[in-house]
Amino acid sequence: NVLYVTAITTLALEGRGYNHRIAATAVADALRRIAPDGRILVWGNEPGIYLRADRLPAGRYAYTFPLTTPGYSSETQMAELVADLAADPPAAIVDAGSPGPGQPGIVPLMVPRPIESYDGRDLDVAGPLRRFVAERYVLATEVEGWLIYLLR
């Protein structure tokens, strides 16, 4: 697996705002302590976490929009992602889909939240991923409003 640094990743890491950089750094620090090895899955549009944590994505998506865009996303696509994760589970899953639990953001992972529409990218086919997380992971901590789940 190779994580390519793109303009999107660079903007997420350095240009989107001070709070995002602080949060990504704090999450990376927490991951080094509680899950020091292995790939991670970030649910949200925060690919900078992968770079800050020096981790590879645990799937083929470095951010969530491809999984929530009507006309592109599908239940089959989500099932394939979950099958990939089941074959090689990530050490940790980070829910970085909103500024804090229950606050508006992208399609929720485990904690319900109002969905903000990002140009209509609000399709919810995440049911299989939610079941995967609920069965195999436990909420370990909240860092800067983002939730970190670890394997049971």
Side-chain angles (χ1 to χ4, degrees):
N1 289 339
V2 176
L3 178 63
Y4 294 97
V5 179
T6 65
I8 292 172
T9 304
T10 303
L11 287 173
L13 187 59
E14 299 299 337
R16 285 211 5 220
Y18 188 65
N19 291 336
H20 287 267
R21 283 182 275 153
I22 288 174
T25 299
V27 166
D29 291 343
L31 287 168
R32 281 187 205 86
R33 287 190 313 276
I34 63 176
D37 298 310
R39 298 174 313 135
I40 61 172
L41 174 70
V42 176
W43 182 256
N45 297 305
E46 298 295 340
I49 293 173
Y50 295 111
L51 293 177
R52 294 255 188 231
D54 195 25
R55 301 290 184 89
L56 290 172
R60 59 187 86 173
Y61 305 101
Y63 60 102
T64 307
F65 281 154
L67 297 168
T68 60
T69 301
Y72 181 83
S73 307
S74 69
E75 291 179 10
T76 300
Q77 185 179 17
M78 182 59 72
E80 290 171 353
L81 173 63
V82 171
D84 291 346
L85 297 176
D88 187 11
I93 296 175
V94 179
D95 183 354
S98 71
Q103 293 185 17
I106 65 161
V107 171
L109 183 57
M110 301 304 289
V111 177
R113 63 175 158 245
I115 298 174
E116 289 183 356
S117 182
Y118 296 90
D119 298 327
R121 295 175 180 156
D122 55 7
L123 180 67
D124 188 350
V125 294
L129 180 59
R130 288 187 192 102
R131 285 188 293 282
F132 174 81
V133 174
E135 292 168 1
R136 296 180 181 222
Y137 289 81
V138 62
L139 177 61
T141 191
E142 177 185 334
V143 178
E144 295 290 329
W146 293 342
L147 304 174
I148 300 176
Y149 298 88
L150 296 178
L151 275 169
R152 294 184 185 274

